[in-house]
Amino acid sequence: MSNTIRVYDPTGHAPVEQYPLAPLPASLDGLRPGIVENRKANAGLLMRQMVEGLREHFELGELTTIGKPSAGPPTKSNERKLVEGADFALVGSSD
């Protein structure tokens, strides 16, 4: 029998990938908003209200809304719909 104690360090070193930030537009005028709705109660409502608030200050184009599971990415089809239909997107969560 041994009196050795083994201690395991659970901290890891997660790799971090850095990406440059997208350039910010000078104005939202003429841009098409998008919403990525994660099916949380009120998330879509909150983000639609945010878009309506932006419309009070900017001439926005047509709104594109896609859904996704609350714990996963959107389907490739929905991702393509957003990329083709929106110039910027609101992504968030609400309960």
Side-chain angles (χ1 to χ4, degrees):
M1 179 161 245
S2 171
N3 290 332
T4 302
I5 297 174
R6 290 187 182 177
V7 177
Y8 294 96
D9 183 355
T11 59
H13 300 286
V16 175
E17 294 184 41
Q18 294 184 357
Y19 297 94
L21 295 176
L24 295 176
S27 172
L28 296 180
D29 284 324
L31 298 184
R32 301 165 301 159
I35 290 175
V36 179
E37 189 173 337
N38 66 356
R39 299 192 182 18
K40 293 262 190 168
N42 300 321
L45 174 64
L46 174 66
M47 289 185 282
R48 281 190 294 279
Q49 290 297 316
M50 291 172 69
V51 169
E52 291 310 309
L54 289 172
R55 286 189 192 284
E56 294 175 10
H57 303 280
F58 303 99
E59 295 290 328
L60 297 180
E62 185 176 341
L63 173 63
T64 298
T65 301
I66 67 164
K68 71 170 218 61
S70 58
T75 63
K76 292 294 182 188
S77 171
N78 274 348
E79 187 178 302
R80 191 169 35 260
K81 179 181 173 186
L82 184 67
V83 167
E84 292 172 358
D87 300 305
F88 70 95
L90 301 176
V91 182
S93 177
S94 181
D95 277 326

